[in-house]
Amino acid sequence: MTAAATLPYGSWPSPVDAALAASLDGRPEYLGAVGSEVWWTEPRPDEDGRRALVRHPVDGGPETTVLPEPWDVRSRFTEYGGSPWTGAQRPEDGPLLVFVHFADQRLYAYEPDAPGAGGPRPLTPLSGTGAGLRWADPVLRGGEVWCVMEEFTGPAPTDVRRCLAAVPLDGSAADDRAAVRELTDDRHRFSTGPRLSPDGRSVVRLVWDHPRMPWDGTELVLADITADGALTGARTVLGGPGESVAQADWTAGGTLLAVSDRSGWWNPYRVDPRSGEAVGLCPREEEFGGPLWKPGLRWLAPIPGDAAPAGGAGTGLVAVLHGRGSSVLGVLDPESGDLVDAAGPWTAWQPTLAVCGTRVYGVAASPRSAYEVVELDTATGHARPVGAQASDPVDPAHYPEPQIRTFHGPDRREIHAHVYPPHHPACRAPADELPPYVVWAHGGPTDHVPPVLDLHIAYFTSRGIGVVEVNYGGSTGYGRAYRERLREQWGVVDVEDCAAVARALAAEGTADPGRLAIRGGSAGGWTAAASLAATDLYACAAISYPVLDLRGFADETHDLESRYIDGLAGPPRTLAVRCRERSPVARADRITAPFLLLQGLDDAVCPPAQAERLLAALRGRAVPHAYLAFEGEGHGFRRAGTMVRALEAELSLYAQVFGIERTDVPRLILSD
């Protein structure tokens, strides 16, 4: 046995390089059953960051990519997107696919198996990616595809209207906007796509409006479908300003199911469409749902083979995702309340489910495996990964092992976190040295991070730099009361909770108190930058596509989040005061630690103007920093080259600030 090499923390050699981490970034999304196949989208960082559509036969045949480059199956609905495709198996001509292509945001129809069908054909007018029409969450109905439509009506990000729309499959709307039937007139309301009842007589969807976000309160709206395909008699059957309904769906027998947080936790309910009476199917202090950032997310899926008879009061088996902090896949018997979880190593599941016969498909990960498509056979209870299974790109001995911890902050409030100590199978540090640690603040902020394998984390831990992910107050996964801690306290609670975790690690001897850093993207970038202005705890920070100016963000961001600040910082009448008290731009004179600022120049959520104002506020002050801006990148980086540059720049920042010798990455130039 070879003795472990003794090297300072941060200087360890590692096979987990930035190119490897970038090539495996992202995860499968938007699963769906098409006949006897399961389809999904998956990232292709090396193909200019596109999302490919993949099909996998349930019988175990070869997995194939449905559309070649440059087709990119991704919607820009409300900028974050939503379910971008739907499909159905036809007896004669094979599958019919309808999808959104990112480059022009048009809906296309495609028949991949039909002889002589040719390539995809457009269904909607050409409008471009920056304005015009966008589509999401589609379903097929007869000779039309029903979906939610977004139409920009002016130059401002909030000049937009949305409605349910019916697009003809014959292509007549490709050159004629008037051929699109508008099913509702929602003006400014936000909406998911339609969920059609099995008998074709009813449709449900979720709606909300400013200043609410979908986790504050949504309404489950039901309407009747007339013989000519119009909607009538729309009424709210569940939800309201203080109740968040995260999902609704029908069983094959016509029972309406919904996920609501009326108890303080997102739990599943059976809903009477006539009276609105909601009966809890599995009351628990656990989350069976989550934040509805995009239409088309699924935390529950009825299993058709066990559907109750039409008109009956029973409900067949239902696949559910549930848990506290992290989630597991289970099969719920609503009549008895029994819930049986799938066996396997997976510790977190993404909100996407598909059902094909007795088999349930989801996307899951564990501390030892990245996100992958997993099949659960409910007839046998056996769960396994499906699709192309690549071997581990490096020896798993280099993967970090998360420690799930609970810390305490001000007022003894609980703070949930995952600690990833430095780890290398062939290296150790001198006995008298404590490791540097980086606090990772997640985005959202109404979101959370689960303890799963992330090669971006392994990139640092395998080199001897520890990471701690903090699910600060305001995070999802721990009930409504926990996420409400951030109400009007953004820039306070998140900053305090991250600092409390960092100080605790230093106090217990886990981390070097002189070599602490903080990093985050989007809302996490706000927390990282606000932390530099609020405390001298951190030696440096890495800040990606951040919010940096509350007032500017409210004016410049996309429509979905244009009133998000009301709940996070306070109503418009108090915004000027809160901006002066918390915004990094307004408090730039307090920032003294070095930082790296990363920004996509096509970002419509946190526009480059945010980063530029911080740089202007620091002009003339001796604060070492670097600003890297990337053309063609939006909110969150997708291209492999961008991710490599960003990771290596971040490592160089830490090496310079922490006093670590590294020659394997380009030196980041820090200017005052």
Side-chain angles (χ1 to χ4, degrees):
M1 180 179 295
T2 303
T6 301
L7 297 169
Y9 284 116
S11 68
W12 301 345
S14 172
V16 185
D17 62 18
L20 176 63
S23 69
L24 298 177
D25 187 69
R27 55 180 174 252
E29 287 185 311
Y30 302 118
L31 275 64
V34 180
S36 60
E37 298 180 332
V38 59
W39 295 25
W40 63 83
T41 70
E42 67 180 29
R44 300 282 173 87
D46 293 324
E47 296 178 11
D48 204 31
R50 79 175 182 119
R51 289 199 72 89
L53 188 63
V54 173
R55 57 192 293 189
H56 174 80
V58 172
D59 63 10
E63 174 186 313
T64 57
T65 300
V66 179
L67 294 158
E69 292 185 78
W71 294 103
D72 187 354
V73 183
R74 180 160 54 104
S75 171
R76 279 191 65 179
F77 184 82
T78 69
E79 296 300 342
Y80 287 131
S83 177
W85 73 275
T86 187
Q89 184 72 27
R90 298 171 302 167
E92 300 296 329
D93 298 320
L96 169 64
L97 165 68
V98 175
F99 69 96
V100 179
H101 178 44
F102 181 76
D104 57 18
Q105 288 300 290
R106 301 174 87 178
L107 279 173
Y108 287 81
Y110 182 47
E111 299 153 300
D113 297 349
R121 51 187 175 85
L123 300 180
T124 54
L126 185 65
S127 59
T129 60
L133 302 171
R134 298 176 184 176
W135 318 85
D137 213 5
V139 296
L140 293 169
R141 182 184 183 273
E144 297 176 319
V145 56
W146 286 22
C147 55
V148 59
M149 180 188 80
E150 183 174 62
E151 182 173 28
F152 286 82
T153 59
T158 53
D159 293 337
V160 60
R161 57 185 294 271
R162 299 174 188 85
C163 66
L164 292 189
V167 178
L169 290 172
D170 62 9
S172 58
D175 298 307
D176 183 8
R177 165 71 175 80
V180 176
R181 288 197 307 123
E182 296 191 10
L183 302 171
T184 61
D185 185 7
D186 290 325
R187 301 297 179 188
H188 202 79
R189 299 177 93 185
F190 296 94
S191 176
T192 65
R195 296 294 175 265
L196 304 173
S197 63
D199 62 9
R201 297 177 181 177
S202 303
V203 61
V204 293
R205 62 189 177 122
L206 303 178
V207 300
W208 68 98
D209 202 356
H210 289 315
R212 281 181 280 157
M213 296 298 286
W215 41 86
D216 297 324
T218 57
E219 298 169 30
L220 173 57
V221 174
L222 180 144
D224 302 318
I225 304 175
T226 65
D228 59 356
L231 301 187
T232 185
R235 63 268 191 197
T236 298
V237 296
L238 193 69
E243 178 181 356
S244 171
V245 183
Q247 186 194 340
D249 213 338
W250 302 88
T251 69
T255 300
L256 179 58
L257 303 179
V259 176
S260 165
D261 74 344
R262 55 174 40 195
S263 69
W265 298 82
W266 275 303
N267 277 191
Y269 293 84
R270 181 172 57 241
V271 182
D272 186 327
R274 295 173 298 276
S275 67
E277 179 185 3
V279 177
L281 301 181
C282 190
R284 292 190 180 191
E285 289 191 349
E286 292 184 4
E287 301 283 42
F288 288 73
L292 187 63
W293 277 105
K294 302 180 286 190
L297 302 182
R298 299 188 78 189
W299 293 268
L300 65 77
I303 301 175
D306 292 274
T315 304
L317 297 180
V318 181
V320 295
L321 303 177
H322 70 101
R324 296 184 67 154
S326 296
S327 57
V328 296
L329 172 64
V331 176
L332 172 66
D333 181 347
E335 303 308 313
S336 66
D338 292 341
L339 178 58
V340 179
D341 293 334
W346 305 284
T347 55
W349 294 72
Q350 287 298 304
T352 180
L353 292 170
V355 177
C356 191
T358 61
R359 300 180 184 184
V360 178
Y361 296 86
V363 174
S366 77
R368 290 283 167 175
S369 60
Y371 282 104
E372 58 192 348
V373 178
V374 176
E375 174 195 86
L376 170 64
D377 188 337
T378 60
T380 64
H382 178 63
R384 66 184 181 96
V386 301
Q389 297 301 306
S391 58
D392 283 298
V394 297
D395 184 348
H398 291 87
Y399 296 163
E401 192 67 36
Q403 302 171 359
I404 301 175
R405 301 277 304 271
T406 300
F407 297 89
H408 290 90
D411 302 323
R412 298 293 298 166
R413 62 178 182 241
E414 288 189 345
I415 308 166
H416 302 285
H418 313 133
V419 180
Y420 295 85
H423 175 74
H424 193 294
C427 293
R428 64 184 179 187
D432 60 350
E433 184 184 4
L434 290 175
Y437 259 81
V438 184
V439 175
W440 284 30
H442 64 71
T446 311
D447 208 341
H448 79 288
V449 284
V452 298
L453 177 64
D454 182 343
L455 289 187
H456 290 247
I457 292 177
Y459 179 76
F460 294 106
T461 57
S462 62
R463 285 167 169 77
I465 298 174
V467 170
V468 55
E469 295 182 307
V470 181
N471 281 318
Y472 48 79
S475 301
T476 57
Y478 307 97
R480 185 166 190 131
Y482 193 84
R483 72 177 187 267
E484 287 285 339
R485 287 185 189 176
L486 205 59
R487 183 162 295 279
E488 299 192 13
Q489 295 298 309
W490 196 34
V492 178
V493 167
D494 50 325
V495 170
E496 290 177 346
D497 284 2
C498 287
V501 171
R503 289 191 177 99
L505 292 177
E508 69 187 24
T510 297
D512 183 343
R515 295 194 293 176
L516 297 172
I518 187 167
R519 69 103 82 168
S522 188
W526 157 272
T527 302
S531 295
L532 291 191
T535 175
D536 60 0
L537 178 65
Y538 304 105
C540 61
I543 304 163
S544 302
Y545 36 89
V547 179
L548 296 169
D549 172 19
L550 288 177
R551 295 182 71 181
F553 179 76
D555 294 335
E556 297 162 353
T557 193
H558 60 150
D559 188 44
L560 176 66
E561 295 185 86
S562 62
R563 298 292 300 276
Y564 195 7
I565 296 298
D566 289 28
L568 292 175
R573 66 179 181 276
T574 66
L575 190 55
V577 174
R578 297 289 166 80
C579 186
R580 289 195 299 270
E581 293 173 344
R582 303 178 192 173
S583 288
V585 166
R587 292 160 57 86
D589 61 310
R590 298 170 180 256
I591 296 176
T592 58
F595 65 88
L596 167 65
L597 183 56
L598 303 164
Q599 179 67 49
L601 293 178
D602 291 348
D603 194 336
V605 177
C606 295
Q610 292 275 310
E612 291 162 3
R613 278 198 288 275
L614 177 63
L615 297 175
L618 287 169
R619 194 169 293 127
R621 299 188 58 240
V623 179
H625 67 276
Y627 177 50
L628 302 182
F630 300 97
E631 292 185 1
E633 292 283 12
H635 196 65
F637 302 146
R638 295 178 177 273
R639 295 174 176 171
T642 302
M643 289 185 275
V644 169
R645 180 74 179 101
L647 265 178
E648 291 183 342
E650 186 176 352
L651 178 59
S652 179
L653 171 72
Y654 300 149
Q656 293 179 57
V657 174
F658 294 156
I660 298 167
E661 290 293 330
R662 295 215 72 97
T663 60
D664 55 342
V665 294
R667 182 177 178 84
L668 180 68
I669 303 302
L670 297 172
S671 58
D672 293 341

